[in-house]
Amino acid sequence: LMAGERRRRGGDGPRERPRERLRERDPKLRQQQKTPRGSGWVRTMLVLTAAAAALALGLAVAVAEWNRWSEVSRLVTPHPAPPAVTPGSTGPLASPTYFWGTYRPHVYFGMKTRSPRSVVTGLMWLQHGGNLRHTSDQSDGVSRYGWLMHDGENFGVQEIRDEGLVLRTEFVKQPGGDHGGDWSWRVTVKTEGKGPAPLVSLFFYVATDGQGTLRPVLENGTRLAAVAGTAEELGDFTLTFLPPTGEDGEGHKYASYNFLAAGVPGLHRLTDLVRQSLRESSVFSPPGRPRRRYFGVSSTGGLPGESPRGQLLLHQVTLEPPAVLEVTLESGSAAGARRGRLAGPALSAALARHVATFEQRFEDTFGLGARGVSLPQRRFAQAALSEMLGGIGFFHGRSLLRSERREEPVPGIESMLFTAVPSRSCFPRGFLWDEGFHLLLLGRWDPALACDILAHWLDLLNADGWIPREQILGDEARARVPPEFVLQHSETANPPTLLLALERLLPDAPLPYLRRLFPRLRAWFEWLNRTQAGPEPFTFRWRGRDTDLERFLNPKTLSSGLDDYPRASHPSAEERHLDLRCWMALGARVLAALAERLGEPLAPYRDMAAALSDNDLLDRLHWAPELGAFADFGNHSTAVTLRWHRAAPVPGRPPPAPQLRREVREAPRPRFVGALGYVSLFPLLLQLLRADSPRLPALLGSMRSEKQLWTPFGLRSLARDSPWYLRRNTEHDPPYWRGSVWVNINFLALRALHGYARAAGPHRERAAQLYQELRHNLVANVFRQYEATGFLWEHYRDSDGTGQGCHPFAGWSALVVLAMAEDY
């Protein structure tokens, strides 16, 4: 204020005017005088520049956010092509034969319909003094179980052996009406060996999952004689529990009865609900015999603190074996066509007819009797096919997905899947690369069934063309999956084995069906071609390898299906994966054939198939002269090992546990990966090599070498002289694809050798000899292990042929049936 007052009075004037005169004479001062007058323009430019930068940054953020949103949106958006499964085709009117089925592969015995939120039925049992049985789990001690006969449509016969108890479960379906017709169960229970008969409870139940109502029909106030129900897909129906009879089906069998009516928080909690309802307060009092206490369910119950979303009605029958129990479901809409209840002698006659029809159809399809195959081996082959058919499930729900651009998982598309499962005990859900192998066998037994399953898989396609490799749909499926495997990653592929199956189905499949499939197959193949591209033209690289380089001896490649098979020691963008290249060659070949059949443009697929089948280009990219084999290429070190490391102790705390960590003693460099095994054989397995290829002798020699891949039980997955042979990948990660014999790859080897043995070329005799020896070894061992254990196994030990891994595993291990029939 004082300075302003002085300026107004002119008090500062004499001190300012001399400086103004100096500015006029001095150019530098004149420039300083001009700057303040232009400072507004400079400030404006700075503001505009800052605003532009902020706008650019904002736009970049907005674009990045848009890209993230768009990718997540596409991740959970169905593909726009018309569905491969036509709407309504799985319903009771369009497909009555397949409407009801044993579509609950995770339980020992149960049925449901091919509809979301289906009414479900099932069986539990309890040998008093033992454990409650319901869901199949290989750790529960049940010694043998599996379908002996199952045609996938009308009937099935299963045998279960559990600690001296033998259960035989049988079912027959009877068409009629508008809601899938009727069906009947028969459960025969007896004991092995001598001694007093144990006390056994069988629990027959029916449950709803969000829709439908059930009403108990009681007899004498204690016995649940029937359930009257209604549901949207079933209309009105009655489930009747007939009184037990003797083993011959005649005469009354004394039993005690309990029933349970409860709310169900979800079908995955059924076992817990029943177990919690059991009380050791019931008494079994046969006339003239000692009284015995047993665990019986209370009449009403539920799980505390959990809101019900459905109903459960359960009928408990407690008795001493032997006995026969029957259950019938009768559809209200089939009443006019029903000749009588399908029970007792009528059920026995129906079962006999279906058994005879099944055996004749099996022989007409596979011709094992005409080939001189022994009766025990034919029974084994029937059981292998039946276990696969009995392992078909129908699932509904959403996968849990994760995009590369987003950390948080998102629920996927609401989906339905009709699929065969690899294993009822370990993997009772859909697996993409397993299914292609399943369909090779199912397509031979029932092409229409195989086509239906294939269409269901293609309807899982999202807007980008991706199919999650593992399908975990619904609470029951999710309850059986370890948490680390629930999440499906959007960059992860799987071998397109569905195209392997389609190649066999293609000649006879109806054109309208193929037209529905084509846009989806094209989108899937283009997704694979785009997202799994390698560093050079016509090379490919599996995405999604494990990135924890310290933990794994060799980072796993789950997307390849071969899990811990050794790849480049240090994952990088420079990898070239041989097996994926061969799968893409197969895919291009099949799509070219499909396009030609449909009159669609085929040049892109034909040209790609030609390039990927070019043996010279294959040599340049994947033949390793120093190894004498085809191989992967990548950033690789041959000097890696696992060693125990102990972290430094912290004062006042317990000493840390030692950890097994990887050590790299030689720096990695770009090179071929010296891991001779299944991957090395892929150009032969998928028959990309010419019959006169100079590389065939080396591959055939490796296959026959006992120091490398040959065993008396089949081809081992990794050469015995490999540094990774039978090596653990982590402390808790035993070898998997590092030496064991796997039936699916051995089947591809038989298929290829069978083809090379019939093709004109210098190696046909060697291929024919190998084919005969390998086929004998594989079939004999799988049959021998089945006879010894009652199961097909996930894989087989290369040293003695013993079954390993999951059992029963009637997924691709059931391909042994096609090998027995020499049907490739």
Side-chain angles (χ1 to χ4, degrees):
L1 288 173
M2 290 176 65
E5 182 63 25
R6 285 196 298 271
R7 281 195 294 273
R8 284 195 294 273
R9 293 199 306 263
D12 291 336
R15 287 195 293 271
E16 291 180 352
R17 281 192 290 272
R19 185 171 179 85
E20 291 172 0
R21 287 194 295 268
L22 284 172
R23 284 192 184 116
E24 290 173 2
R25 290 195 297 268
D26 190 330
K28 292 182 179 179
L29 291 176
R30 286 201 304 270
Q31 182 63 33
Q32 290 177 8
Q33 185 182 28
K34 292 177 182 177
T35 300
R37 291 198 299 267
S39 61
W41 176 82
V42 172
R43 284 195 298 273
T44 301
M45 290 303 296
L46 289 174
V47 169
L48 289 174
T49 302
L55 180 61
L57 179 62
L59 284 172
V61 171
V63 168
E65 189 60 33
W66 167 262
N67 287 337
R68 280 194 294 272
W69 178 87
S70 177
E71 180 171 322
V72 172
S73 176
R74 292 177 64 80
L75 184 67
V76 298
T77 300
H79 194 271
V85 179
T86 54
S89 62
T90 62
L93 289 175
S95 185
T97 303
Y98 294 111
F99 185 60
W100 273 106
T102 51
Y103 302 144
R104 305 181 67 210
H106 63 291
V107 302
Y108 286 105
F109 186 45
M111 291 177 66
K112 63 182 288 188
T113 63
R114 291 204 303 177
S115 53
R117 304 295 181 196
S118 171
V119 170
V120 304
T121 59
L123 168 72
M124 304 181 193
W125 74 91
L126 173 63
Q127 189 170 181
H128 290 276
N131 295 313
L132 181 67
R133 308 296 197 197
H134 180 215
T135 57
S136 54
D137 191 319
Q138 70 178 47
S139 65
D140 66 7
V142 174
S143 58
R144 300 178 81 140
Y145 65 95
W147 293 99
L148 304 178
M149 294 185 181
H150 196 305
D151 66 357
E153 300 176 67
N154 303 302
F155 95 113
V157 178
Q158 179 182 217
E159 188 172 86
I160 303 167
R161 296 178 180 268
D162 179 23
E163 298 179 346
L165 195 69
V166 181
L167 294 174
R168 185 179 179 90
T169 69
E170 301 168 289
F171 78 91
V172 171
K173 289 158 56 179
Q174 181 171 269
D178 298 331
H179 299 91
D182 303 340
W183 52 253
S184 294
W185 292 358
R186 175 178 288 167
V187 177
T188 303
V189 53
K190 58 184 180 180
T191 57
E192 294 180 298
K194 298 179 180 179
L199 198 59
V200 177
S201 287
L202 293 105
F203 306 82
F204 299 92
Y205 67 83
V206 56
T208 63
D209 187 24
Q211 64 94 16
T213 58
L214 306 173
R215 182 174 58 83
V217 179
L218 297 179
E219 183 181 88
N220 299 326
T222 57
R223 180 180 179 274
L224 184 64
V227 174
T230 185
E232 184 178 346
E233 302 88 356
L234 292 176
D236 295 330
F237 63 90
T238 302
L239 194 68
T240 303
F241 306 107
L242 300 174
T245 64
E247 188 178 6
D248 57 3
E250 299 195 8
H252 177 71
K253 183 76 179 183
Y254 178 83
S256 293
Y257 301 100
N258 302 74
F259 79 92
L260 172 64
V264 181
L267 297 179
H268 62 297
R269 302 302 308 278
L270 285 175
T271 309
D272 295 333
L273 194 158
V274 174
R275 186 181 289 119
Q276 185 166 308
S277 300
L278 291 170
R279 304 283 186 274
E280 195 178 15
S281 56
S282 298
V283 178
F284 180 76
S285 303
R289 306 274 299 281
R291 294 158 57 94
R292 301 166 69 178
R293 287 192 172 275
Y294 69 91
F295 285 90
V297 294
S298 55
S299 59
T300 58
L303 291 172
E306 299 192 43
S307 301
R309 73 183 194 202
Q311 291 178 266
L312 168 70
L313 288 178
L314 179 142
H315 172 55
Q316 178 181 356
V317 185
T318 303
L319 45 69
E320 294 174 333
V324 175
L325 300 97
E326 293 181 353
V327 178
T328 66
L329 180 136
E330 295 173 309
S331 172
S333 63
R338 188 178 300 119
R339 298 189 184 93
R341 174 170 286 172
L342 188 62
L347 178 56
S348 298
L351 280 166
R353 287 194 303 271
H354 283 297
V355 166
T357 302
F358 173 82
E359 291 187 329
Q360 186 60 54
R361 179 180 173 186
F362 188 88
E363 177 61 24
D364 293 343
T365 303
F366 301 108
L368 299 187
R371 301 178 66 85
V373 176
S374 69
L375 180 60
Q377 285 191 318
R378 296 204 304 273
R379 292 286 183 232
F380 154 68
Q382 289 176 356
L385 169 69
S386 297
E387 184 65 10
M388 181 182 281
L389 288 163
I392 292 175
F394 185 85
F395 304 92
H396 171 261
R398 299 177 186 269
S399 294
L400 196 61
L401 311 177
R402 179 174 164 183
S403 163
E404 294 177 86
R405 294 177 176 267
R406 185 185 178 108
E407 286 294 321
E408 301 80 15
V410 294
I413 306 162
E414 187 173 358
S415 304
M416 296 184 295
L417 180 61
F418 188 48
T419 183
V421 305
S423 169
R424 293 167 62 191
S425 61
C426 295
F427 307 116
R429 54 192 180 276
F431 285 78
L432 180 55
W433 99 291
D434 294 64
E435 192 69 305
F437 290 109
H438 301 164
L439 294 180
L440 291 173
L441 178 58
L442 294 178
R444 190 69 183 89
W445 174 253
D446 188 342
L449 175 64
C451 286
D452 196 6
I453 290 174
L454 177 57
H456 273 83
W457 272 97
L458 292 177
D459 275 351
L460 299 173
L461 210 69
N462 76 353
D464 287 324
W466 173 60
I467 302 175
R469 71 181 188 92
E470 190 171 343
Q471 294 296 317
I472 307 167
L473 305 176
D475 292 336
E476 284 191 288
R478 190 165 296 174
R480 299 293 297 270
V481 183
E484 63 268 26
F485 296 116
V486 169
L487 203 59
Q488 303 297 299
H489 297 264
S490 64
E491 79 279 7
T492 303
N494 230 196
T497 56
L498 295 181
L499 295 169
L500 191 68
L502 180 62
E503 191 171 36
R504 289 198 63 175
L505 293 168
L506 190 56
D508 300 317
L511 280 176
Y513 168 79
L514 295 176
R515 291 194 188 283
R516 293 197 305 273
L517 260 55
F518 185 67
R520 293 179 171 272
L521 288 167
R522 181 173 56 199
W524 183 36
F525 186 75
E526 288 172 356
W527 180 88
L528 287 164
N529 198 26
R530 181 177 68 254
T531 65
Q532 310 298 301
E536 299 179 38
F538 303 112
T539 65
F540 297 89
R541 175 173 66 90
W542 294 112
R543 303 306 197 266
R545 291 194 65 192
D546 281 318
T547 56
D548 189 345
L549 298 185
E550 290 189 1
R551 181 184 172 204
F552 297 101
L553 178 67
N554 190 271
K556 289 186 292 188
T557 314
L558 293 176
S559 52
S560 73
L562 304 179
D563 296 19
D564 67 341
Y565 187 96
R567 307 283 181 168
S569 62
H570 291 66
S572 71
E574 302 308 308
E575 284 181 86
R576 305 196 297 259
H577 291 139
L578 172 63
D579 52 334
L580 179 52
R581 187 183 192 279
C582 296
W583 284 121
M584 295 301 291
L586 167 80
R589 182 178 78 209
V590 175
L591 276 169
L594 177 58
E596 184 175 23
R597 175 127 193 252
L598 296 176
E600 298 282 348
L602 61 89
Y605 307 114
R606 181 190 57 205
D607 295 347
M608 185 175 180
L612 293 177
S613 301
D614 184 301
N615 282 203
D616 294 333
L617 182 58
L618 180 65
D619 267 11
R620 183 177 71 78
L621 293 170
H622 286 286
W623 180 257
E626 67 274 21
L627 304 173
F630 289 105
D632 285 348
F633 184 89
N635 192 31
H636 185 61
S637 172
T638 59
V640 294
T641 189
L642 292 175
R643 291 192 183 278
W644 289 102
H645 290 264
R646 188 184 293 274
V650 178
R653 294 185 181 180
Q659 293 183 323
L660 204 58
R661 293 292 180 183
R662 184 170 87 157
E663 288 186 358
V664 181
R665 299 191 301 272
E666 174 195 71
R669 61 179 174 84
R671 62 171 78 171
F672 286 108
V673 181
L676 178 66
Y678 285 168
V679 166
S680 314
L681 300 180
F682 259 83
L684 178 150
L685 297 177
L686 297 184
Q687 301 176 65
L688 303 182
L689 292 181
R690 298 188 307 269
D692 61 350
S693 168
R695 305 305 183 198
L696 267 178
L699 295 186
L700 297 176
S702 296
M703 292 169 72
R704 190 58 185 84
S705 169
E706 294 182 8
K707 293 181 179 179
Q708 295 182 318
L709 303 181
W710 190 263
T711 80
F713 320 108
L715 300 176
R716 57 169 65 94
S717 44
L718 190 64
R720 198 172 67 178
D721 57 5
S722 167
W724 292 280
Y725 171 67
L726 296 185
R727 293 282 299 279
R728 299 184 72 88
N729 210 33
T730 70
E731 177 186 357
H732 306 291
D733 197 5
Y736 199 44
W737 291 85
R738 297 187 179 182
S740 293
V741 174
W742 293 78
V743 173
N744 62 328
I745 303 299
N746 275 269
F747 176 80
L748 291 180
L750 288 173
R751 177 176 172 267
L753 290 171
H754 189 264
Y756 285 119
R758 282 157 176 72
H763 314 299
R764 62 186 305 179
E765 290 185 9
R766 183 83 188 279
Q769 180 184 0
L770 274 181
Y771 167 76
Q772 294 296 341
E773 291 183 61
L774 179 60
R775 176 177 172 270
H776 172 268
N777 290 352
L778 182 73
V779 171
N781 185 64
V782 174
F783 171 65
R784 183 166 53 247
Q785 297 303 318
Y786 178 82
E787 287 284 277
T789 66
F791 297 114
L792 288 167
W793 292 78
E794 185 180 8
H795 50 101
Y796 296 83
R797 191 158 60 206
D798 67 322
S799 59
D800 59 9
T802 300
Q804 293 184 304
C806 293
H807 63 278
F809 194 94
W812 57 46
S813 293
L815 288 172
V816 68
V817 178
L818 293 180
M820 294 171 73
E822 297 192 88
D823 187 348
Y824 306 109

